[in-house]
Amino acid sequence: MLSQPLFRNVLCQEDFKSSAGGAHCFPDLRVGVFKEIVPMGIDPKIVSYKETGIHLSPQEFHREVEQYLSQVTQGQSDTILLDCRNFYESKIGHFQGCLAPDIRKFSYFPSYIDENLELFKDKRVLMYCTGGIRCERGSAYLRSKAVCREVYQLKGGIHKYLEEFPDGFYRGKLFVFDDRYAICSNEDIISACRYCGVLWDQYKLCSSQHCRQLVLTCPSCFNKGLTACCPVCQEKALKVTSRASGQTLKEECECTRRRPRVPIEHVSPRMLDTGKD
């Protein structure tokens, strides 16, 4: 790609990320043209990636987080460390002391900012996501509200940070959107089995064909048949397997319906957890 004239002045070597995997994780190649790589639901002409926050290298971001955690411990921080990903991503891995919105889709992020705007007033915001793509739009949207003192974002995202700081301030696994589900850089497990509470961070798809949400179920619970994300889905899965197979339609499950679409935060940065989960 670097040798092609189309990309020569756009891409550089540091734009590429590498991690352990294999052909079984990527069975095919698809090239698509989209208005938004990760849909935020707002026209790019209205909120442009050209109006992003200040990009910080992994080294610069590491220093900022180190300073932030030190200040929070002393109750003096004017900074928010903001995770731009979905709840199921931050659930298995995140930066210490971060504010991780309990949202299911990135398209909910603008509403989350709007509903919690007072939280960001006059603050320095350090934003991060998996590879930096969501921060391009997310930081631009936050800046468009003109309430933050400064907005920064991690260049290359968590992925690039872990390449340089595998045992830094990011703890747990990094969620990825392929058949691996997660990649590991440290031994910390910060999430638990949905059923028994034992430490566990390996996702499986909900066993209900109607749902297919991600669920954390440890081997012991899985072997007991606890394979769904909620009781309703568990019951549906049993009914489906007990009758002749047929076409099923995807629908919202109980745990999705009861989750607030846009949570209202009732915390201040001083209250955020700065220790290891």
Side-chain angles (χ1 to χ4, degrees):
M1 290 182 71
L2 292 174
S3 68
Q4 294 296 317
L6 182 63
F7 304 116
R8 190 171 295 153
N9 297 321
V10 179
L11 295 174
C12 61
Q13 189 63 49
E14 67 176 15
D15 289 322
F16 293 87
K17 306 173 182 72
S18 61
S19 58
H24 64 285
C25 302
F26 307 97
D28 56 12
L29 172 66
R30 285 172 287 177
V31 178
V33 178
F34 301 93
K35 194 170 186 178
E36 298 179 86
I37 297 177
V38 182
M40 191 172 74
I42 295 179
D43 195 314
K45 294 179 181 177
I46 298 176
V47 176
S48 173
Y49 70 91
K50 296 179 181 178
E51 304 296 330
T52 64
I54 300 170
H55 291 72
L56 299 178
S57 68
Q59 300 93 334
E60 292 169 328
F61 196 83
H62 184 81
R63 288 194 295 268
E64 285 283 352
V65 174
E66 185 174 38
Q67 182 179 356
Y68 159 71
L69 293 175
S70 175
Q71 291 174 345
V72 170
T73 301
Q74 301 170 29
Q76 300 175 345
S77 180
D78 61 351
T79 299
I80 293 177
L81 179 56
L82 180 62
D83 193 320
C84 294
R85 301 172 300 158
N86 303 321
F87 79 91
Y88 52 84
E89 298 174 76
S90 58
K91 189 173 187 176
I92 64 170
H94 53 248
F95 275 95
Q96 297 173 47
C98 75
L99 173 61
D102 191 20
I103 56 176
R104 192 166 63 91
K105 298 178 180 179
F106 185 57
S107 58
Y108 298 171
F109 184 79
S111 296
Y112 173 82
I113 294 297
D114 292 346
E115 293 293 334
N116 294 280
L117 210 54
E118 190 65 26
L119 182 66
F120 298 97
K121 189 175 181 180
D122 299 323
K123 295 294 192 297
R124 298 174 74 251
V125 179
L126 302 173
M127 300 177 68
Y128 69 88
C129 60
T130 305
I133 294 175
R134 279 174 280 190
C135 280
E136 292 292 290
R137 300 296 313 287
S139 66
Y141 186 81
L142 185 55
R143 288 190 70 233
S144 75
K145 297 299 171 178
V147 296
C148 301
R149 200 165 81 241
E150 296 166 332
V151 179
Y152 299 93
Q153 65 188 80
L154 174 57
K155 184 177 181 181
I158 303 165
H159 205 303
K160 277 296 183 183
Y161 178 87
L162 292 178
E163 288 181 11
E164 299 194 36
F165 299 98
D167 201 33
F169 296 117
Y170 186 90
R171 311 311 303 174
K173 288 185 172 63
L174 172 60
F175 184 93
V176 290
F177 291 89
D178 56 55
D179 287 348
R180 295 173 297 175
Y181 289 125
I183 54 180
C184 178
S185 68
N186 57 70
E187 299 302 316
D188 287 4
I189 299 177
I190 68 169
S191 52
C193 171
R194 185 206 186 288
Y195 292 98
C196 70
V198 69
L199 289 176
W200 188 252
D201 59 9
Q202 297 180 35
Y203 278 117
K204 290 184 181 296
L205 288 175
C206 175
S207 55
S208 170
Q209 296 294 325
H210 298 79
C211 174
R212 310 300 280 174
Q213 296 285 350
L214 293 168
V215 58
L216 291 171
T217 176
C218 70
S220 176
C221 290
F222 185 84
N223 291 334
K224 294 175 183 176
L226 301 173
T227 57
C229 65
C230 66
V232 172
C233 280
Q234 189 71 49
E235 183 66 24
K236 283 184 178 180
L238 293 173
K239 288 181 179 179
V240 169
T241 54
S242 65
R243 65 172 183 258
S245 60
Q247 185 178 7
T248 56
L249 299 175
K250 189 173 181 180
E251 60 187 53
E252 278 197 347
C253 68
E254 180 186 74
C255 56
T256 299
R257 281 197 300 268
R258 68 170 180 251
R259 174 180 299 281
R261 178 187 172 110
V262 180
I264 308 299
E265 302 292 356
H266 299 287
V267 299
S268 68
R270 291 179 59 181
M271 295 168 59
L272 298 176
D273 177 21
T274 58
K276 294 184 179 180
D277 296 81

